[in-house]
Amino acid sequence: MALAETLVDQEQLRADWARGYESQPEEHAGWVSAVSGAIPPELSGTLFRNGPGLLDVGGRRLHHPFDGDGLVAAFSFVDGRCFYRSRFVRTAGYLAERRAGRLLFRGVFGTQRPGGWLANALDLRLKNVANTNVVHWANRLLALWEAAEPHRLDPRTLDTYGVDRLGGLLRDGEPFAAHPHIDPFCHWDGGAPCLVTFGVKPRFDGTSVLKIYEIGPDGLARRTQELEIDGFAFLHDMAITPNYCVFFQNPLRYDPLPYLFGRQSAAQGLRSLPGQATSVLVVPRHPSLGEPRTFQAPPGFVWHHANACEEGDTLHIDSVWYDRFESFSPAGDFRALDFAQLPYGVLARTSVDLRTGATERRELGARCCEFPVLHPGRVGRDYRYVYTAAADAPEGPGILQTLWKVDVASGASEVWSPGPRCFAGEPVFVPRPRSAAVAHLTTPDVGDPIGNTGPGEDDGWLLALVYDGARHGTDLAILDARDLAAGPVATLHLDHHLPHGLHGSFSSGRFAPEDRY
Ligand code: CO
């Protein structure tokens, strides 16, 4: 009986998961009226989220959700109320396919044009789907997709202005990563915040070109670097400290031929190289700190880093590690997921001794997790708390259904589950205004807070989208980050679903319609 119940539950869970990948072709705008609990009045600003909105085009299913057109959602909080808006990024590809009513482009992650390999061979156009992240910086709202330029949006209406080359910083079609990191206190810039990001382009000669961009709050480049890397570099994320940028070049090889000949899409040529070391690339952010160096770390694969910090001559980099890179398969349907076969993401700390070159890795917890985030004031610094989306079970692979908070100093952790038929997305941490940790960072005479974990680091809210399979709708859960187990202080129930999404960020800007509040 118990076994039968478990099987039914797993079937239900798989069906719910698949339904969370139904396209959402509609766009929405309005004040959210269905709220359980109370939105904290001090919560002020806008949560921006991005992810694939269309999982089929002209009746044809996409092969992988990463190929879906970006649907940006904005939740603007004003005096205890929330204005919600969702809009597709008007990329050239989205507009062309909408006009044609059919699929016109190959996707990078598996979607092929109809007509077999002949219809796809030598079609090397990249469809920039602008679906991976969205960040508000220097008065620009940018929808990000790592293989090409960002798209600039109007933060109030989410209208698309078009591709943004950041005042000439980027060339036509230049890769620009979807994981910017904001140094809250850049000591090279007198303590001003600075956005640090990169772009990487593999070349057919087996090397890769990495560009690093540091952009000030005025939108102007503070520092840029260009490096040639040996080997194929598939870099999705990076980590920063006050003095360094850190990249993990995991052991992969790339076979472009099936892509060129139209038999597979671009990313399906990526293969894990089991047993080979991870190359840790440490790039000084300032020339006075010397040349870039590489170190050898254990094998495995990392999509996302939680944070990094410096302790004397040692760098600590906290990341979600998998035992290998899982190839993007040309076969099968991503909706028919076998939860038991899922890759197992484990939060772990890699420590690199910059003097001796020794590296070591230790786990920070056993729960399967992804999408690690932290207090924005602790980026690059010693810190206490990481928040992730995580599996329901305390160990073993599993689909992301809960939110999980880990104290990296003590190993203590806390979990919140929204329900057996719910799926949690990436959380975003928003500090409570005037909280001790914020004051610590913004008090001028404190100086650079390296090494000083501010008091009350978890004094704030955790915001996360939750897809509820029972009602085929999406909620936004707002939790007090000091007490996840207490459950949300407020839950906003949208009257529709947003497909399982990717990344987002919080801006202190209020972008609700002014005449309405
Ligand atoms: Co990512």
Side-chain angles (χ1 to χ4, degrees), residues 39-320:
I39 299 171
E42 321 94 278
L43 177 59
S44 175
T46 304
L47 172 70
F48 292 106
R49 305 278 325 163
N50 203 349
L54 292 184
L55 287 308
D56 55 77
V57 174
R60 196 178 169 90
R61 281 184 159 194
L62 301 187
H63 187 82
H64 196 283
F66 291 175
D67 287 336
D69 291 308
L71 176 61
V72 171
F75 297 81
S76 198
F77 296 96
V78 181
D79 302 330
R81 302 173 68 205
C82 177
F83 189 88
Y84 166 75
R85 188 188 291 280
S86 62
R87 294 270 281 165
F88 279 93
V89 185
R90 265 64 177 171
T91 63
Y94 170 81
L95 292 172
E97 289 185 337
R98 207 170 66 155
R99 272 194 302 272
R102 65 191 169 88
L103 195 141
L104 300 175
F105 297 92
R106 303 174 79 182
V108 168
F109 294 94
T111 306
Q112 295 277 55
R113 296 169 64 197
W117 68 270
L118 261 176
N120 291 278
L122 303 177
D123 177 1
L124 308 185
R125 295 173 299 169
L126 288 180
K127 183 189 178 195
N128 181 344
V129 287
N131 70 358
T132 314
N133 201 349
V134 55
V135 64
H136 189 243
W137 181 251
N139 285 322
R140 283 177 159 98
L141 182 65
L142 300 174
L144 304 173
W145 185 70
E146 68 191 26
E149 313 101 312
H151 283 75
R152 185 173 178 184
L153 313 179
D154 183 319
R156 196 170 292 279
T157 63
L158 300 184
D159 285 342
T160 304
Y161 293 133
V163 158
D164 192 331
R165 303 215 169 90
L166 307 178
L169 198 57
L170 304 178
R171 288 198 293 257
D172 185 13
E174 181 120 34
F176 191 71
H179 281 287
H181 295 269
I182 295 171
D183 180 344
F185 190 102
C186 177
H187 65 179
W188 307 109
D189 299 341
C194 184
L195 181 143
V196 187
T197 188
F198 68 99
V200 65
K201 192 162 202 165
R203 293 194 295 211
F204 283 113
D205 68 359
T207 63
S208 304
V209 177
L210 172 66
K211 293 186 182 180
I212 299 171
Y213 308 98
E214 302 206 16
I215 302 170
D218 54 6
L220 300 176
R222 290 286 179 277
R223 287 162 293 281
T224 59
Q225 301 194 51
E226 182 170 333
L227 294 86
E228 187 176 292
I229 303 178
D230 282 340
F232 178 81
F234 178 62
L235 307 173
H236 177 69
D237 193 5
M238 69 186 293
I240 62 167
T241 69
N243 293 311
Y244 301 102
C245 295
V246 186
F247 300 87
F248 283 11
Q249 187 182 0
N250 298 121
L252 292 178
R253 66 180 172 83
Y254 184 60
D255 176 8
L257 292 181
Y259 167 56
L260 298 177
F261 290 126
R263 296 191 181 278
Q264 290 184 4
S265 65
Q268 287 172 334
L270 290 167
R271 291 281 178 279
S272 204
L273 290 170
Q276 292 198 17
T278 295
S279 182
V280 178
L281 174 61
V282 177
V283 183
R285 290 177 57 190
H286 195 271
S288 63
L289 296 170
E291 293 292 312
R293 297 167 67 191
T294 54
F295 303 87
Q296 301 294 299
F301 183 76
V302 168
W303 287 101
H304 298 123
H305 301 289
N307 198 22
C309 61
E310 301 171 19
E311 183 184 6
D313 287 318
T314 300
L315 287 182
H316 302 294
I317 308 107
D318 297 347
S319 324
V320 177

Side-chain angles (χ1 to χ4, degrees), residues 64 66 109 234 250-253 267-274 300-303 320-331 334 337-345 370 397:
H64 196 283
F66 291 175
F109 294 94
F234 178 62
N250 298 121
L252 292 178
R253 66 180 172 83
Q268 287 172 334
L270 290 167
R271 291 281 178 279
S272 204
L273 290 170
F301 183 76
V302 168
W303 287 101
V320 177
W321 278 88
Y322 298 88
D323 65 351
R324 65 181 186 284
F325 173 78
E326 197 71 40
S327 292
F328 294 103
S329 166
F334 67 85
L337 204 55
D338 181 351
F339 292 162
Q341 298 298 317
L342 282 170
Y344 187 0
E370 247 307 347

